């Protein structure tokens, strides 16, 4: 059970594996008014930056679960770098089926709602492990501008327009599912640029060092095509944000 090697290559030395930068992650932590001792379960925790920096800055405790062995190892290393190994732990496993030892104050799935086949199913997973009055964090794309054609849809990692909603539609969906939206922090075009463009440099450095690797042709094509795809389609059409929700 692991992610394909291409994911590890593409993400390279990035610490935040979504279109948030460190400032936005910090803004989110401060906006949530996290009290020392807050317990967090982070499903699909990536390299653990959310848990590690919030443990350092806010005194939270938590567990991160991710399917990638490489990302889990990087998260453990990050916890050691920040001196928070006594506050956070990271588990290699299937986030959708993980069972924590006890319920938590905050349950998060930031950018991986595929674990529940979409937002409704993911919120069901998060709700299982929340204490009464606890908070769910969901990171999810939305259409900034209605995609004009199928080429735009596919360039934004979707198969149809219906894969994502616009921002009012997404916020409305949370309400339809019985949750109050109590905070949100949205990516912007600059943070999208920083995330996407970092992939290109990671890919180029890897290609220079590994020209004969079996993945080289596939990743060479990605590097050739993705910068134009980003500026032509994703940058204007696709938004992304993290939404804090409390059950009604």
């Amino acid at each position: 059970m692991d992610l394909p090697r291409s994911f590890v290559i593409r993400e390279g030395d990035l610490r935040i594996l979504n279109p948030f930068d460190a400032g936005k992650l910090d803004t989110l932590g401060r906006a949530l008014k996290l009290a020392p001792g807050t317990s967090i379960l982070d499903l699909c925790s990536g390299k653990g930056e959310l848990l590690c920096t919030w443990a350092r800055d806010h005194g939270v405790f938590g567990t991160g679960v991710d399917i990638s062995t490489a990302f889990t190892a990087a998260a453990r290393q990050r916890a050691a770098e920040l001196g928070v190994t006594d506050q956070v732990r990271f588990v290699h496993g299937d986030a959708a089926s993980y069972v924590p030892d006890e319920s938590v104050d905050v349950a998060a799935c930031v950018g991986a709602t595929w674990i529940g086949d979409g937002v409704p199913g993911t919120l069901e997973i998060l709700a299982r492990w929340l204490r009464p009055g606890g908070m769910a964090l969901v990171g999810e794309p939305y259409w900034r501008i209605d995609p004009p054609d199928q080429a735009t849809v596919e360039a934004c990692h979707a198969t149809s327009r219906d894969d994502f909603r616009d921002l009012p539609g997404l916020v409305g969906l949370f309400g339809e599912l019985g949750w109050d939206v109590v905070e949100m922090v949205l990516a912007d075009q600059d943070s999208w640029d920083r995330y996407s463009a970092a992939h290109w440099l990671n890919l180029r450095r890897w290609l220079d060092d590994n020209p004969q690797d079996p993945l080289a042709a596939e990743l060479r094509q990605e590097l050739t095509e993705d910068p134009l795809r980003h500026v032509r389609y994703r940058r204007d059409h696709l938004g992304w944000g993290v939404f804090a929700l409390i059950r009604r």
Side-chain angles (χ1 to χ4, degrees):
M1 180 173 57
D2 212 335
L3 283 179
R5 191 161 58 103
S6 59
F7 282 75
V8 178
I9 295 167
R10 186 180 299 111
E11 300 296 345
D13 60 356
L14 290 176
R15 289 176 175 166
I16 301 174
L17 310 186
N18 55 58
F20 258 18
D21 55 26
K24 288 188 180 293
L25 186 60
D26 177 64
T27 295
L28 179 62
R30 288 185 287 106
L32 299 180
K33 302 178 176 65
L34 297 167
T38 296
S39 58
I40 300 178
L41 175 65
D42 188 6
L43 299 180
C44 299
S45 53
K47 296 184 181 179
E49 194 71 359
L50 181 152
L51 275 179
C52 289
T53 57
W54 289 3
R56 177 195 64 193
D57 298 339
H58 304 286
V60 306
F61 291 76
T63 298
V65 185
D66 200 275
I67 197 172
S68 169
T69 54
F71 294 168
T72 301
R76 291 169 180 159
Q77 181 179 355
R78 184 63 168 155
E81 290 173 358
L82 297 185
V84 295
T85 54
D86 59 337
Q87 294 170 249
V88 298
R89 69 186 186 107
F90 294 96
V91 177
H92 172 243
D94 178 8
S97 60
Y98 179 76
V99 179
D101 296 333
E102 57 186 5
S103 57
V104 297
D105 300 312
V106 178
C109 181
V110 177
T113 56
W114 49 265
I115 68 169
D117 295 320
V119 169
T122 299
L123 280 172
E124 289 181 9
I125 293 172
L126 297 178
R128 292 173 196 163
W129 314 125
L130 278 178
R131 293 173 180 163
M135 182 182 296
L137 299 181
V138 175
E140 180 70 359
Y142 58 88
W143 295 120
R144 293 183 66 244
I145 300 173
D146 187 49
D149 50 39
Q150 186 62 20
T152 304
V153 168
E154 294 177 4
C156 293
H157 308 298
T159 57
S160 77
R161 286 178 172 84
D162 294 338
D163 287 354
F164 308 134
R165 300 192 176 204
D166 62 12
L167 184 56
L170 180 57
V171 171
L173 174 62
F174 295 138
E176 293 166 13
L177 296 171
W179 297 79
D180 287 325
V181 178
V182 296
E183 257 296 355
M184 69 177 189
V185 177
L186 304 182
D188 54 30
Q189 287 179 312
D190 182 65
S191 55
W192 262 119
D193 292 345
R194 298 292 4 103
Y195 182 52
S196 294
H199 289 164
W200 310 332
L201 183 57
N202 290 339
L203 291 172
R204 177 54 196 257
R205 295 300 189 220
W206 183 88
L207 287 166
D208 287 345
D209 292 339
N210 301 275
Q212 304 305 317
D213 190 280
L215 277 177
E218 173 188 334
L219 296 184
R220 172 69 258 178
Q221 181 177 2
E222 178 178 338
L223 177 57
T224 300
E225 297 175 354
D226 197 66
L228 182 58
R229 187 161 49 228
H230 173 69
V231 298
R232 176 175 286 170
Y233 299 111
R234 281 198 307 267
R235 194 174 192 274
D236 288 333
H237 291 87
L238 193 61
W240 192 88
V242 180
F243 302 85
L245 315 169
I246 299 177
R247 197 88 189 223
R248 289 176 184 163

